[in-house]
Amino acid sequence: MKKRVYLDHNASTPVSKSVQKAFQRALSCFSNPSALYSSARESKEKIESARDIISTQLDCEPHSIIFTSSGSESNNHVLQSMFFRTFPFTNKPPHFILSAIEHSSLKTTAERLAQLGAAISYLPCDSQGYVVPSQLHAMITDQTCLISVMLANNEIGTIQPIQDIVAIANDHGRICVHTDAAQAIGKIPVSITSLGVDFLSFSGHKFSAPKGIAGLYVKEDSQLTPLIYGGSQERKLRASTENVPGIIALAEAIKTIDPNTYIAQIQPLRAQLLSGLETLTHPSLIHNNFSDKVLSNTINVAFPGVSGHTLAMQLDLAGIEVSTGSACSVGAIEPSHVLEACGVPKDINLSSLRISLGLETSPQDIDYLLSTLSDLLSRTH
């Protein structure tokens, strides 16, 4: 079998051994936590213990965490809730401000809400991939109800000034701020208290937990209406029988991660990769990580004159798994909206690869990627 090298950790991460063990043990907690008998109470207690662990790690109150099925659900919950709690019950459409480089689960939801009557504005980013908070002042209106800016970008890794955005929102009255922290948890220190946001989304499979379990921080219950109706689970904010094994696994994953240890382990690999990329035979390699204030594991690089999709497929045939920011749509390859927002020309955009490292990445993996890239690129010139 070919050697397989996984370098797409921003898409999803392997489930760690300790999390696998915690999940397997938790499968015995099969009772419905809403029931009254002792085994059900045990399931409920494990949920609340997990909530305590997660809130401690994220520096917030336990009751402010609700469990969801995915980061996309958490993001949808915030936007749809802010829309439907005010409109169509008034004749004034709510106004949302999103950064131009948000995840598709926010961008697409906003587009749908616009079809229903919401006003949507996009906070642009500069050529380095950072939003400019001072531009918010001119964008805020009397109907602005939410500003949503992701903490760390999934394609280029930029870490955004969320505290500055919160300060501006507070200057303009009671405007809520949401941040999608799916890519940040485990990679950088995250304190919800320090950030000061009203909502924060996170997803377990981005930091060694299984897929299908995620969370949403909610500062005040009154700010949120249910996305899923039914039972009274999660303080009546998210109906559905709780995913007890998933919740226990999520707590185990977040308990065992240490952002400082993560950075210390990843930085040498990043340096090795960047140094190696500079020595490749391709003459005009372009880095799309525009600044040092980025996630340590995320490298976005373009090879002008080479299709990023084609290169990714060739790497896959060699056993290396990376991604592109572009997407196939109706038979055509669409450029990354993130790189587009940064002003990257379309041809460079479509020649880009995202390489995202993880705790399982080894120096040998980097060497294999570099040698394979060198071989593939030499054939194109």
Side-chain angles (χ1 to χ4, degrees):
M1 291 181 65
K2 286 189 177 71
K3 174 183 174 65
R4 300 303 300 180
V5 174
Y6 182 71
L7 297 173
D8 199 20
H9 288 80
N10 284 7
S12 194
T13 55
V15 179
S16 69
K17 290 182 179 179
S18 67
V19 173
Q20 289 182 40
K21 291 178 181 178
F23 183 83
Q24 289 169 349
R25 289 193 300 267
L27 292 174
S28 63
C29 300
F30 62 85
S31 295
N32 191 319
S34 298
L36 299 176
Y37 34 80
S38 59
S39 61
R41 291 197 300 272
E42 180 184 358
S43 293
K44 184 66 174 176
E45 288 167 4
K46 289 186 180 297
I47 290 173
E48 297 312 315
S49 175
R51 206 186 308 270
D52 287 341
I53 291 169
I54 293 166
S55 63
T56 297
Q57 294 297 315
L58 296 182
D59 190 22
C60 63
E61 294 296 325
H63 66 81
S64 62
I65 298 292
I66 66 171
F67 295 112
T68 68
S69 67
S70 66
S72 292
E73 181 194 329
S74 297
N75 289 340
N76 267 263
H77 198 163
V78 174
L79 262 67
Q80 293 198 44
S81 179
M82 295 299 291
F83 178 83
F84 286 110
R85 78 173 190 162
T86 58
F87 191 72
F89 303 107
T90 70
N91 60 359
K92 297 180 179 179
H95 176 228
F96 296 83
I97 300 174
L98 279 67
S99 85
I101 57 173
E102 290 303 299
H103 187 267
S104 59
S105 60
L106 283 156
K107 186 171 177 286
T108 306
T109 303
E111 291 168 356
R112 174 56 181 158
L113 295 181
Q115 294 173 350
L116 298 176
I120 310 294
S121 298
Y122 292 97
L123 177 64
C125 63
D126 62 22
S127 60
Q128 293 192 329
Y130 296 101
V131 300
V132 183
S134 60
Q135 295 185 10
L136 276 172
H137 292 286
M139 300 177 70
I140 291 173
T141 73
D142 291 341
Q143 300 307 120
T144 304
C145 63
L146 182 75
I147 301 169
S148 183
V149 176
M150 66 196 326
L151 180 52
N153 186 264
N154 53 307
E155 289 190 36
I156 56 175
T158 47
I159 301 168
Q160 302 295 345
I162 302 301
Q163 291 167 310
D164 295 343
I165 291 164
V166 170
I168 291 170
N170 291 339
D171 286 345
H172 285 264
R174 195 66 189 97
I175 300 174
C176 292
V177 176
H178 165 254
T179 191
D180 178 352
Q183 292 295 338
I185 305 296
K187 298 172 186 171
I188 59 174
V190 175
S191 164
I192 290 176
T193 298
S194 296
L195 290 173
V197 294
D198 298 277
F199 306 105
L200 181 143
S201 306
F202 58 98
S203 182
H205 77 103
K206 304 295 187 181
F207 53 88
S208 302
K211 297 171 184 61
I213 185 63
L216 176 64
Y217 163 80
V218 183
K219 181 181 283 187
E220 298 176 11
D221 285 4
S222 60
Q223 296 171 328
L224 208 67
T225 58
L227 179 67
I228 300 174
Y229 288 87
S232 60
Q233 295 90 353
E234 298 300 290
R235 305 192 310 282
K236 299 183 179 181
L237 292 176
R238 203 271 184 180
S240 201
T241 301
E242 297 92 339
N243 176 3
V244 181
I247 291 169
I248 291 171
L250 183 69
E252 176 66 20
I254 206 167
K255 179 176 68 175
T256 54
I257 56 177
D258 178 2
N260 294 318
T261 301
Y262 180 94
I263 292 169
Q265 183 173 332
I266 297 296
Q267 283 284 20
L269 297 170
R270 178 188 183 85
Q272 177 189 354
L273 176 55
L274 292 177
S275 175
L277 286 171
E278 294 296 340
T279 66
L280 290 178
T281 55
H282 195 275
S284 54
L285 178 142
I286 295 173
H287 292 290
N288 293 325
N289 295 102
F290 309 98
S291 168
D292 292 333
K293 195 176 179 182
V294 297
L295 295 173
S296 58
N297 80 314
T298 306
I299 295 92
N300 196 303
V301 64
F303 303 90
V306 179
S307 163
H309 265 260
T310 299
L311 188 55
M313 289 187 290
Q314 290 173 327
L315 287 170
D316 181 47
L317 291 173
I320 300 170
E321 298 171 342
V322 299
S323 69
T324 68
S326 55
C328 291
S329 176
V330 198
I333 298 176
E334 298 295 332
S336 158
H337 76 278
V338 173
L339 296 181
E340 197 170 43
C342 298
V344 174
K346 185 176 181 180
D347 60 330
I348 304 301
N349 192 325
L350 292 174
S351 71
S352 299
L353 292 180
R354 180 189 70 182
I355 304 164
S356 49
L357 314 178
L359 294 174
E360 298 77 17
T361 306
S362 69
Q364 293 74 27
D365 293 336
I366 302 298
D367 286 340
Y368 183 56
L369 168 66
L370 290 169
S371 64
T372 305
L373 271 174
S374 179
D375 181 51
L376 292 173
L377 293 171
S378 66
R379 301 176 195 174
T380 65
H381 287 83

